Amino acid sequence: MADVSHPKGDLAGHPDVSEMRERFERTLGGRDVVLVDGPVFLVGLYCAVSPWIVHYTASQPALMTHNLIVGIAIALLAVGFTVTPERMYGLSGAMCAIGAWLIVAPWIVGRGPDAGVIWNNIVIGALTLVLGALCVAVASRSRRVT
């Protein structure tokens, strides 16, 4: 049986090392994808399930539906940022708008929200706003590099 395992170490001697590095740079686009897209996905996931975590499904049904839909939208944006970053990072500014909307949504969508619901949406909205601004910064930095 042939030994197909590769010795551990540097790939500097590999004949296709320049092509592999070039493909890797094209794939990442010079961005730190994991540091931005992972937290965006987690914030979207938490936003979608937060009505059940904070227990306001019965008292705020409209806000429950709102957070579920907006959370799924944020998570889908994160998946899009990961799968096709060169196309989707143009929507980074939309994350900032979604974050600002989440901060004011308890008073607009909800009916007499209590402090827990308000703080939940403020934290989610602030995180979405900050991560959206970070996505905008990463996208503009990558456009300058390329």
Side-chain angles (χ1 to χ4, degrees):
M1 203 162 170
D3 182 21
V4 293
S5 64
H6 299 284
K8 295 189 189 266
D10 192 18
L11 289 175
H14 194 280
D16 295 328
V17 72
S18 63
E19 181 185 340
M20 291 186 319
R21 282 189 182 136
E22 187 177 304
R23 186 180 313 156
F24 181 73
E25 284 300 318
R26 260 194 335 258
T27 302
L28 284 183
R31 290 186 283 280
D32 236 346
V33 174
V34 176
L35 293 178
V36 177
D37 301 345
V40 170
F41 181 76
L42 291 176
V43 166
L45 191 64
Y46 176 75
C47 181
V49 299
S50 67
W52 291 273
I53 293 174
V54 183
H55 301 291
Y56 61 88
T57 55
S59 65
Q60 300 286 335
L63 194 59
M64 175 201 67
T65 306
H66 169 270
N67 278 15
L68 178 65
I69 292 169
V70 171
I72 291 170
I74 293 170
L76 286 175
L77 276 174
V79 169
F81 291 160
T82 303
V83 174
T84 58
E86 60 279 346
R87 289 182 178 180
M88 293 295 292
Y89 266 98
L91 293 174
S92 301
M95 289 245 334
C96 296
I98 290 172
W101 170 251
L102 278 168
I103 291 172
V104 298
W107 294 283
I108 297 173
V109 177
R111 286 188 172 171
D114 62 351
V117 173
I118 291 170
W119 278 108
N120 180 60
N121 267 41
I122 286 174
V123 169
I124 294 171
L127 284 172
T128 304
L129 188 68
V130 167
L131 288 171
L134 188 61
C135 286
V136 169
V138 167
S140 66
R141 182 181 52 138
S142 69
R143 281 190 210 117
R144 256 184 281 133
V145 169
T146 59

